[in-house]
Amino acid sequence: MASKSAGLFVLLLQLFVLIVEQQIAALPTPAASMDDKSVYNRQLTEERPLQEQIAEADSVKAAVQPAESQQPSKDAGESEPASDDFTMLKALADGQKPAQTREVPVKKEDQFVPDESDSTKSRRLADDYDSTKNRMDYGKYQDDPESFRQVDGTPLTAEDIVQKIANKIYEEDDRGVFDRIVSKLLKLGLITENQAETLEYEVAEALQDLITKNAKNNEIEDVDQNQDTEGEQDNQSPDTDTWGPPRRRYNENEEDEDEDEDEVEDEVDRDTEDDAADNTWDKDTDGGNEVSPGDGLQDLQYFPNFYRLLRNLDSDQDVQERETLITIMKTLIDFVKMMVKYGTITPEEGVSYLENLDAMIAMQTKNKLGKSLGLPEVSGAEGKMVDEDDNTKSETAKMQKEYENLRDSTKEEQPSSESNQPGKSETYLEAIRKNIEWLKKHNKDEGKDDYDLSKLKDFMDQQVDSYIQKGIIAKDEGDTIKRIYGSL
Amino acid sequence: MRPVFSVFLLGAAAVALSGGAAASTDAGISFEYHRYEELRKALVSVWLQCPTITRIYTIGESFEGRELLVLEMSDNPGTHEPGEPEFKYIANMHGNEAVGRELLIYLAQYLCNQYQQGNETIIDLIQNTRIHLMPSMNPDGFEKAASQPGEIKDWFVGRSNAQGVDLNRNFPDLDRIIYINEREGGANNHLLQNMKKAVDENTKLAPETKAVIHWIMDIPFVLSANLHGGDVVANYPYDETRSGSTHEYSASPDDNMFKSLAKAYSMYNPVMSDPHRPPCRKNDDDSSFKDGITNGGAWYSVPGGMQDFNYLSSNCFEITLELSCDKFPDEDTLKTYWEQNRNSLISYIEQVHRGVKGFVRDLQGNPISNATISVEGIEHDITTAKDGDYWRLLAPGNYKVAASAPGYLTVIKKVAVPYSPATRVDFELESLMERKEEEREELMDWWKMMSETLNF
């Protein structure tokens, strides 16, 4: 490939190929990448006319096409991660220099997506229409600092990028993948440290989800996998060091952070701790170096039911299940922490969610395992709590009724002084009579059977009661009406 | 009212001699003043007579604890049927302006009677509209006014609520905000953000005002009128002048539609639409009255009124109806007032079935609530209700109507709108995510193609 005069497309191509370390022959060596970097940066700093870029791309395409690779079998597997990295790079490049790189990728799109049915066009229409309405809540689609999503819509696959990276890491059981990608990107100046951090969090999150999902799906089978993963983690302690505070890692390029052989979640713990975003969780995040019951369960001590469940699984054959459960729980806890950190939910909501979770666990274990958690107080306590709730509710309802009655009674004094009983019931009688007459006639006209008097009576009784309650009818009036209907 | 019983007899005799023709349709209506208890009973009687099409509810209590009663009339009382427009009449917000209060009681009785007698217009109206009637927004004031001894009622006693608050100056003044937004840019609708909080924490609002504001927020009213006395004219927005002067024509973005709505009332009221009618009082300035209608600001500036509040805080178009030169006329004149206004009252309710209406949904058919419906050339947007339904009142003409919502791509449709009935225009909006998905797939396909071609 002609590297010197390569267009943007080829440069990026080389970059991601480098990073992914595929076995493709006839591709540039790392030495060449330095040159590419300078050329690449040139692209970023000055806008090149669209036509020029198109022309270059075309020439490159022409040059590349004849040089077909002899390894078709590898392509299938490579194109996927290749596309990941490519689009991810694109996304990150966008993130870094919004003003300029946004131009570049858009133009690139124009180059390679011949039809001009671009989303940006119609999106602008919506924006135009709504620019005068600053009341409309577009918060989610503008300025989300934590994501790679930009308003102009170019990095369309940010979440998928993250997902794909996470997938790859999970499949290969090698977090080094991520480190390698990110360090290269940082070296090339394509992303800032903040973005690397953010990317790390996002991938960590996605990875957690993956682990949880797989753990839940195949509990027994995956236990082995998890254990293997954990074992691998132990072995890869130098790599896992990279999951320490990225700042330090990427500045100094080597690390002897505190050993953290635990899963990703605890790394995030530390970061959460560092950021001190969420004070309520601070005391939970100390330690937890190993997945040993003692330390690892510190987080879980706040979940009494879960804890009891674990203790019930103390026997040997339950060890695997126990491990899985611990993993799942920790993942959930950390996920909630992340959400709180990102402000998706408030700390109170997070706490209540987890409390509910704990209660659910108790219930589910009772149902599924067919045994209680060994402590009758648990269900007793829960039952009591439920009862208390009900008590307070019924108390409130009682109080409300009393109040209503009081209110009604004070009202009744007013009306009874002003009105006369016979007059009232006369008017009402008249009205009810008219209704019955109409019903008879209406049903006759429509050929229906005689109206159902009892149903009507019930309906009216119900309505009268509701009106009495709301203060629309006085009690004695309501009784009158009911009496009249009763006598029909 | 017992003291005037004898007068009533004489008056009734006189009316019986003169009037006569309309007697059959008005059978079952007794034309007399109703105090609070009598009002309540009258509404209960209507309900007892027509329980399948009516429902009584209360939106709250007045300062002195009287219920603010509403009689709802619809073929399915108590529920908002998707696509069925909501309409309201409110009267007697000034307690001593009594004619409107009575008219709404008579209207309730009339609609119930006519429905049972098979009047197709009324049956149609009740089946396709949800009509809310509030005979008195200020029952405390009315009691005060009605309790005055003697025949002649004071011009002011009972006007304000029990706290002395003029309810028609008590609403949050959104006109000020819209005028600023017109100059400097900003929203053109739903100006009272965080309404519930703003309302509940506002200590200056009377309980009656608060109750009505909550009511407006809860039900997606489309059209409304509030009934007053002291003059005879149909008054439309804006009530508050832009410059702050006492008289100035202050057009709203929907000036054409409002004129049409106001005329739809006035033209059936022989007194209101009489071009040669002398002004109510010798020195009254009714120069702004034309065909029985007037712009609010052109007549005199009113800040904090309920009419403009409706338009600027919700989707509801409201006008103000002044129905009698005399605020609290003799009881024996009530039948005449009814006859003058009956057809107008019905005609105005029918106006709710005009313009364009329909649903805004996503591609899966789910309703999109709070989507914006904007009309090109009219700087006032409305929003869809919970079921995605909307009603955009428009005068006849050709329009471009756009539906938009956050996260969705806007759709614009051209519509030719006749005078009536409403034209049905539905929208299906594609979400940005869906469009992103499409494009992502395109991009992936392209990438696949490229990688296959280039073999990597």
Side-chain angles (χ1 to χ4, degrees), chain B residues 38-300:
Chain B
E38 288 143 359
L39 164 74
R40 200 173 52 77
K41 271 162 39 191
L43 294 182
V44 172
S45 302
V46 172
W47 168 66
L48 286 172
Q49 185 184 340
C50 295
T52 50
I53 57 166
T54 60
R55 180 180 82 105
I56 306 180
Y57 64 96
T58 163
I59 64 166
E61 286 178 5
S62 70
F63 185 75
E64 287 176 350
R66 293 182 177 86
E67 296 295 341
L68 301 171
L69 295 168
V70 179
L71 181 81
E72 171 196 342
M73 303 193 76
S74 133
D75 57 344
N76 231 322
T79 47
H80 170 82
E81 298 179 286
E84 187 181 57
E86 307 258 0
F87 177 93
K88 67 173 163 38
Y89 273 131
I90 306 183
N92 196 224
M93 79 189 293
H94 290 145
N96 62 343
E97 294 170 16
V99 173
R101 172 186 172 118
E102 297 307 318
L103 289 183
L104 291 189
I105 298 175
Y106 307 154
L107 179 65
Q109 292 166 341
Y110 176 78
L111 291 173
C112 171
N113 290 339
Q114 290 301 303
Y115 184 89
Q116 289 186 334
Q117 285 167 31
N119 181 328
E120 282 182 21
T121 311
I122 303 299
I123 292 175
D124 208 47
L125 203 56
I126 289 181
Q127 284 177 345
N128 296 311
T129 326
R130 201 171 164 217
I131 305 167
H132 304 255
L133 305 172
M134 182 192 284
S136 179
M137 185 183 159
N138 184 1
D140 300 347
F142 180 83
E143 293 302 311
K144 211 183 278 177
S147 312
Q148 289 178 86
E151 295 306 309
I152 309 299
K153 304 285 184 258
D154 189 272
W155 195 250
F156 292 110
V157 170
R159 171 188 173 88
S160 50
N161 83 337
Q163 299 165 307
V165 174
D166 183 341
L167 297 177
N168 206 27
R169 305 286 184 279
N170 189 231
F171 282 80
D173 186 355
L174 302 178
D175 293 48
R176 244 185 329 112
I177 302 178
I178 194 69
Y179 291 156
I180 293 172
N181 288 358
E182 280 173 0
R183 291 195 302 269
E184 300 174 9
N188 67 18
N189 66 97
H190 291 80
L191 293 179
L192 195 63
Q193 289 307 308
N194 297 322
M195 256 187 177
K196 277 209 156 65
K197 197 160 166 283
V199 166
D200 293 332
E201 293 177 0
N202 187 339
T203 51
K204 295 209 200 101
L205 296 179
E208 295 90 348
T209 314
K210 273 195 190 156
V212 167
I213 295 179
H214 282 296
W215 192 34
I216 292 172
M217 283 153 52
D218 287 341
I219 299 183
F221 289 111
V222 179
L223 182 62
S224 161
N226 94 65
L227 277 56
H228 288 247
D231 217 310
V232 186
V233 72
N235 172 113
Y236 56 90
Y238 287 124
D239 264 343
E240 188 181 332
T241 56
R242 277 187 175 83
S243 64
S245 67
T246 45
H247 304 273
E248 183 186 71
Y249 195 102
S250 314
S252 68
D254 282 288
D255 196 54
N256 280 337
M257 187 62 204
F258 275 118
K259 291 209 284 253
S260 176
L261 291 169
K263 280 209 193 111
Y265 190 95
S266 70
M267 69 194 222
Y268 293 103
N269 182 325
V271 176
M272 210 183 268
S273 53
D274 179 359
H276 306 297
R277 178 180 72 82
C280 287
R281 286 150 292 273
K282 210 158 42 128
N283 298 323
D284 273 355
D285 176 11
D286 60 357
S287 52
S288 60
F289 295 11
K290 271 193 183 68
D291 300 331
I293 70 172
T294 179
N295 168 264
W299 187 19
Y300 64 97

Side-chain angles (χ1 to χ4, degrees), chain A residues 64 83 119 407 467 472 477, chain B residues 40 56 61 439 447 454:
Chain A
V64 158
S83 75
S119 67
R407 276 181 50 211
Y467 282 2
I472 295 171
E477 289 177 324
Chain B
R40 200 173 52 77
I56 306 180
E61 286 178 5
E439 287 164 10
W447 182 251
L454 299 172

Side-chain angles (χ1 to χ4, degrees), chain A residues 64 68 75 83 112 119 122-123 132-133 135-136 149 157 160 407 411 428 431 435 438 467 472 477, chain B residues 40-41 45 48-49 51 56 61 67 116 186-187 372 381 432 435-436 439-440 446-447 454-455:
Chain A
V64 158
E68 307 231 333
D75 293 347
S83 75
F112 306 118
S119 67
S122 36
R123 172 105 40 72
T132 56
K133 297 193 243 319
R135 299 293 176 182
M136 295 296 155
R149 227 176 284 147
T157 59
D160 293 295
R407 276 181 50 211
K411 278 217 184 92
Y428 289 172
N435 181 30
W438 176 76
Y467 282 2
I472 295 171
E477 289 177 324
Chain B
R40 200 173 52 77
K41 271 162 39 191
S45 302
L48 286 172
Q49 185 184 340
I56 306 180
E61 286 178 5
E67 296 295 341
Q116 289 186 334
T372 301
D381 305 334
L432 293 172
R435 177 58 67 91
K436 270 190 184 179
E439 287 164 10
R440 195 183 73 86
W446 164 78
W447 182 251
L454 299 172
N455 274 314

Side-chain angles (χ1 to χ4, degrees), chain A residues 309-374:
Chain A
L309 172 64
L310 286 184
R311 278 203 281 148
N312 271 325
L313 292 175
D314 254 342
S315 60
D316 277 331
Q317 58 255 66
D318 289 330
V319 154
Q320 296 173 345
E321 208 172 307
R322 194 186 147 84
E323 295 298 328
T324 313
L325 285 172
I326 292 175
T327 311
I328 294 172
M329 204 56 185
K330 281 171 146 308
T331 309
L332 281 172
I333 293 170
D334 287 305
F335 186 66
V336 170
K337 285 183 192 173
M338 286 269 276
M339 289 215 289
V340 171
K341 180 175 157 53
Y342 280 122
T344 311
I345 60 177
T346 65
E348 292 77 33
E349 280 173 335
V351 169
S352 71
Y353 169 75
L354 289 168
E355 279 169 5
N356 287 338
L357 191 62
D358 192 48
M360 272 270 277
I361 290 171
M363 208 168 56
Q364 288 294 331
T365 40
K366 232 169 57 157
N367 293 341
K368 295 235 166 99
L369 294 185
K371 53 180 175 173
S372 74
L373 291 173

